[in-house]
């Protein structure tokens, strides 16, 4: 939940009247890069909320190219994090004892969703990677399906690059909308954090309700 904490810092700084330029410099693009990278490796950090919050702050800044820098930073960090996680997963497949990274992927990919991902991957190929990045909780099952299909890292990276670009752009649009609807930056940050966290949590809640009904 470090991502939510970072967004909260942004909101608090805006509330107390701290200059947005100073806030951005304090947190900085390196912090955004690091948090998104960690979020790609450990899928518990709400990276979408991070990108949307950073976009809200950038929208209210006077520095040129702020939105473009957020986009480049977020998409690059997501791409490198995915590539690192995939590489670690491939090492686990090639090892007799497996790896904690591969087990972590398996634990986050229910059998039913994994089977669906494998079927879609066989039918549509790399285009499934783009959709998996945009669907909450869809990234890990598709990544695991690619691992089980023994895709080389290069092939995965080619499909994952447009996926990361589309993901960063989507959450930037959410941030632009949130920042445009509210006059104060902290209000926009709060709105996009709540929205993105709810969207991310929705699939898990739906699966839990279905499981209880069964």
């Amino acid at each position: 939940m470090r991502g939510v904490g970072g967004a909260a810092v942004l909101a608090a700084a805006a509330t107390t009247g701290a200059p947005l330029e100073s806030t951005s410099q304090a947190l900085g693009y390196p912090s955004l890069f690091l948090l998104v990278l960690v979020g790609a490796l450990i899928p518990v950090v709400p990276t979408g909320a991070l990108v949307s919050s950073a976009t809200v702050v950038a929208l209210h800044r006077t520095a040129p190219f702020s939105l473009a820098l957020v986009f480049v930073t977020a998409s690059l960090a997501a791409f490198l994090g995915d590539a690192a996680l995939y590489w670690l997963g491939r090492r686990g497949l090639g090892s007799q004892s497996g790896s904690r990274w591969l087990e972590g992927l398996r634990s986050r990919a229910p059998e039913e969703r994994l089977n669906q991902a494998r079927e879609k991957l066989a039918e549509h190929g790399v285009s499934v990677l783009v959709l998996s990045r945009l669907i909450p909780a869809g990234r890990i099952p598709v990544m695991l399906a690619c691992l089980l299909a023994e895709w080389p890292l290069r092939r995965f990276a080619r499909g994952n690059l447009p996926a990361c670009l589309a993901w960063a752009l989507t959450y930037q649009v959410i941030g632009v909308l949130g920042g445009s609807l509210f006059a104060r930056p902290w209000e926009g940050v709060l709105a996009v954090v709540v929205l993105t966290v709810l969207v991310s949590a929705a699939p898990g809640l739906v699966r839990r309700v279905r499981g209880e009904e069964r």
Side-chain angles (χ1 to χ4, degrees):
M1 298 302 290
R2 292 170 60 188
V4 176
V9 172
L10 288 173
T15 305
T16 56
L20 289 176
E21 301 291 341
S22 300
T23 303
S24 178
Q25 291 175 5
L27 296 176
Y29 298 109
S31 298
L32 176 64
F33 179 88
L34 180 61
L35 288 173
V36 173
L37 181 69
V38 171
L41 287 168
I42 307 173
V44 294
V45 178
T47 51
L50 270 174
V51 177
S52 296
S53 300
T55 300
V56 172
V57 175
L59 191 66
H60 288 273
R61 292 186 63 200
T62 57
F65 309 117
S66 296
L67 290 175
L69 287 172
V70 170
F71 174 77
V72 171
T73 301
S75 55
L76 179 61
F79 176 76
L80 293 178
D82 283 356
L85 184 58
Y86 192 81
W87 179 77
L88 291 168
R90 280 183 59 85
R91 287 192 62 187
L93 283 177
S95 173
Q96 293 182 352
S97 59
S99 72
R100 64 186 183 91
W101 295 100
L102 182 59
E103 291 304 315
L105 289 173
R106 291 184 183 276
S107 67
R108 295 182 177 278
E111 194 67 27
E112 181 181 353
R113 300 200 65 194
L114 177 59
N115 292 334
Q116 293 176 353
R118 298 182 75 172
E119 292 175 1
K120 292 179 181 179
L121 192 67
E123 294 176 3
H124 304 289
V126 295
S127 61
V128 177
L129 286 171
V130 178
L131 293 176
S132 72
R133 255 289 180 180
L134 300 179
I135 298 174
R139 179 175 68 103
I140 297 302
V142 172
M143 181 182 289
L144 184 56
C146 292
L147 284 169
L148 297 178
E150 298 184 351
W151 280 23
L153 177 59
R154 182 177 298 180
R155 183 182 182 186
F156 173 80
R158 282 202 306 266
N160 194 51
L161 178 59
C164 292
L165 294 174
W167 169 82
L169 180 61
T170 299
Y171 281 99
Q172 269 214 301
V173 170
I174 294 175
V176 168
L177 292 175
S180 301
L181 290 174
F182 297 94
R184 298 178 180 177
W186 72 267
E187 295 175 335
V189 169
L190 183 60
V192 298
V193 167
V194 172
L195 177 60
T196 52
V197 170
L198 287 177
V199 169
S200 300
L205 293 175
V206 171
R207 288 196 299 271
R208 184 175 299 179
V209 170
R210 289 180 177 176
E212 291 177 354
E213 289 178 351
R214 291 177 182 175

